[in-house]
Amino acid sequence: MENIARGALHIYAQNVERVDASPGDWVEVLHGGETLAYGFYSPSSSIPVKVYSWEDEDPREVILQRLEWLWKRKRRLYPTTFRHVFAEGDLVPGLIVDVYGLEVAALKVNVLGLERFKEDIADFLVEKGVENVVERNEGKGRKKEGLPLRKGLLRGKTYRSVIKEGNVEFIVDVLKGQKTGFYLDQRENRVFSEKIGEGRALDVFSYTGGFGVHLAAAGASVTFVEMGKWESGMIEKNLELNGVEGRIIRGDAVDVLKRLLEQRESFDVVSLDPPALAKEGRDVEKAKRMYFLLNRLAIRLLKPGGILLSSSCTHFLSPREFLGIVRGAAQKEGRRLRMLGSLRGQAPDHTVYLPQPETQYLKHGVFEVE
Ligand SMILES: C[S@@+](CC[C@H](N)C(=O)[O-])C[C@H]1O[C@@H](n2cnc3c(N)ncnc32)[C@H](O)[C@@H]1O
């Protein structure tokens, strides 16, 4: 329980001795007769209590005050498109809110006790001028909490927005898109890629065009590699929106990279942004092997002096381990790497809360391959 006193927000089942509460209740957490914290009780979860406060407060007030405070702080970073609430990172466990162009918001609720405040959260966003609010309440997290799966409009009538990022624009569809519609965590890294957009570029794991559209707008001739059908259609739309062109290859990344090598293609820039390859601790070794393979193939495809943009979004891999994998992949290919500046990470609206280290998850390196 010392970690709770130090600010951690998760109370695990093995640490719970006695419970006097109903599912979803706001509970006081006691240890040795002293109050440690307050939070919501989820009996079916392996983390039966998530902490939201260290004071005796009304839960609705806690949530609304935190939303208000975060609204101001996040808009200071990004005025119209931002991650308003990043769950544990922002001391609101189980809640994600993304705002696009102050026009459409997507929310995800993953804690039983929070569910009854969903309408309050939607009202808060409407009061702030975000007329369209979509819930993306799907996935394993909800099931573990014993919550029903729901997806759809909570307020307003549209679920699409066009956002500006650096020199380009993207269509964001928060209903059909992955997660909450767009990978805002990579925004700073994508904008940085505009500085190196020249020659032939390969955007592997493109989603709706992320890195590649920036590279194309900066002047590169871009090939996109993406497995999803809907996603590939969106790449076309985003290219058109920005008045640029590109080649889209639909298929599995490893297969496509191997085929490109067989066809003796080579590139000046390669971006790798795979989905989280380890979703649970036991997947880590397999994930490491896949990162290693992907980075080897990408390095082999790069011309001398080419740039590798390599990302990993699984928190099970530390920044040090990630760098070790990329370095090892280059060594195996007989190439030397130089990194432009330090290893980069998630955008600052994806707050890292130090007592919950998994809130730091994204790694992104810009490497020059000799
Ligand atoms: C983290 S997202 C990429 C985000 C993107 N770079 C951006 O900035 O918007 C990973 C993407 O990889 C795609 N994907 C997953 N497995 C794949 C595979 N084996 N081959 C190709 N694409 C895959 C997913 O459909 C998803 O769009």
Side-chain angles (χ1 to χ4, degrees):
M1 284 302 190
E2 302 89 62
N3 63 336
I4 299 299
R6 284 199 293 263
L9 307 174
H10 290 173
I11 298 180
Y12 292 95
Q14 63 265 31
N15 296 325
V16 178
E17 215 174 83
R18 195 171 62 82
V19 180
D20 182 11
S22 301
D25 275 359
W26 179 251
V27 292
E28 180 181 11
V29 181
L30 294 152
H31 181 61
E34 280 188 33
T35 302
L36 270 188
Y38 295 82
F40 287 121
Y41 175 53
S42 312
S44 62
S45 166
S46 58
I47 307 168
V49 182
K50 281 92 175 172
V51 170
Y52 292 75
S53 178
W54 294 270
E55 313 286 329
D56 187 6
E57 298 171 284
D58 174 56
R60 187 169 175 275
E61 289 302 305
V62 172
I63 293 159
L64 290 177
Q65 275 170 15
R66 224 156 267 173
L67 292 187
E68 185 69 47
W69 187 77
L70 289 166
W71 186 263
K72 285 198 194 88
R73 306 296 283 196
K74 300 295 178 87
R75 287 200 70 193
R76 204 162 73 171
L77 299 171
Y78 303 110
T80 59
T81 293
F82 51 93
R83 175 150 290 192
H84 172 211
V85 185
F86 178 43
E88 274 75 352
D90 285 326
L91 304 184
V92 194
L95 178 66
I96 301 279
V97 181
D98 281 342
V99 174
Y100 300 102
L102 288 186
E103 188 181 24
V104 179
L107 66 88
K108 249 183 204 302
V109 175
N110 269 340
V111 166
L112 179 61
L114 259 189
E115 180 79 355
R116 66 176 185 275
F117 300 104
K118 197 172 74 181
E119 298 299 325
D120 291 307
I121 299 166
D123 287 340
F124 171 92
L125 291 162
V126 172
E127 271 168 35
K128 293 292 179 200
V130 184
E131 285 178 10
N132 306 285
V133 182
V134 173
E135 67 174 318
R136 291 293 307 262
N137 284 324
E138 311 133 279
K140 271 196 201 151
R142 297 268 300 180
K143 278 200 183 145
K144 280 187 194 154
E145 291 277 323
L147 283 163
L149 308 187
R150 289 204 188 100
K151 173 178 173 174
L153 275 164
L154 283 173
R155 300 284 183 280
K157 52 185 185 307
T158 179
Y159 43 86
R160 270 200 179 190
S161 181
V162 174
I163 61 161
K164 177 108 178 119
E165 187 180 87
N167 289 329
V168 301
E169 289 185 324
F170 289 103
I171 303 162
V172 178
D173 187 321
V174 305
L175 201 60
K176 297 198 190 116
Q178 296 178 15
K179 308 270 175 96
T180 50
F182 203 62
Y183 291 92
L184 288 176
D185 52 357
Q186 284 277 29
R187 62 195 299 165
E188 300 280 353
N189 303 326
R190 282 190 297 256
V191 171
F192 181 83
S193 75
E194 288 178 2
K195 294 184 196 291
I196 45 137
E198 57 181 15
R200 300 189 77 224
L202 184 65
D203 176 5
V204 191
F205 303 100
S206 326
Y207 185 46
T208 55
F211 283 93
V213 171
H214 282 279
L215 291 163
S221 149
V222 183
T223 300
F224 296 83
V225 182
E226 167 60 49
M227 201 159 72
K229 184 174 176 204
W230 178 85
E231 289 79 355
S232 304
M234 290 303 287
I235 299 173
E236 268 176 40
K237 291 198 171 82
N238 281 324
L239 284 169
E240 202 182 303
L241 177 69
N242 290 283
V244 285
E245 289 181 354
R247 166 174 71 152
I248 302 165
I249 305 178
R250 242 194 94 198
D252 171 67
V254 171
D255 293 346
V256 175
L257 294 184
K258 285 183 175 165
R259 207 162 60 233
L260 290 171
L261 280 164
E262 278 165 20
Q263 291 162 351
R264 302 197 170 280
E265 295 215 23
S266 62
F267 297 88
D268 299 278
V269 182
V270 177
S271 165
L272 287 179
D273 188 13
L277 296 177
K279 294 210 170 76
E280 295 180 49
R282 60 168 186 248
D283 303 333
V284 168
E285 288 313 311
K286 200 169 150 215
K288 281 182 180 169
R289 287 195 292 275
M290 183 49 92
Y291 284 116
F292 187 69
L293 173 64
L294 287 168
N295 280 280
R296 272 192 75 176
L297 295 172
I299 290 167
R300 216 179 292 165
L301 280 164
L302 276 165
K303 296 177 189 170
I307 301 276
L308 170 67
L309 304 171
S310 189
S311 307
S312 159
C313 61
T314 173
H315 73 84
F316 291 106
L317 205 61
S318 71
R320 209 183 147 153
E321 285 174 309
F322 174 68
L323 271 183
I325 289 171
V326 181
R327 189 177 54 222
Q331 265 165 13
K332 201 81 185 164
E333 292 301 319
R335 311 278 292 271
R336 282 189 298 262
L337 291 186
R338 298 181 315 130
M339 184 159 68
L340 306 195
S342 306
L343 191 65
R344 306 160 72 93
Q346 61 222 53
D349 52 353
H350 288 60
T351 327
V352 176
Y353 180 53
L354 301 191
Q356 292 284 144
E358 77 284 359
T359 53
Q360 180 180 19
Y361 65 97
L362 186 66
K363 282 88 48 196
H364 176 85
V366 182
F367 304 95
E368 203 171 281
V369 183
E370 282 186 356

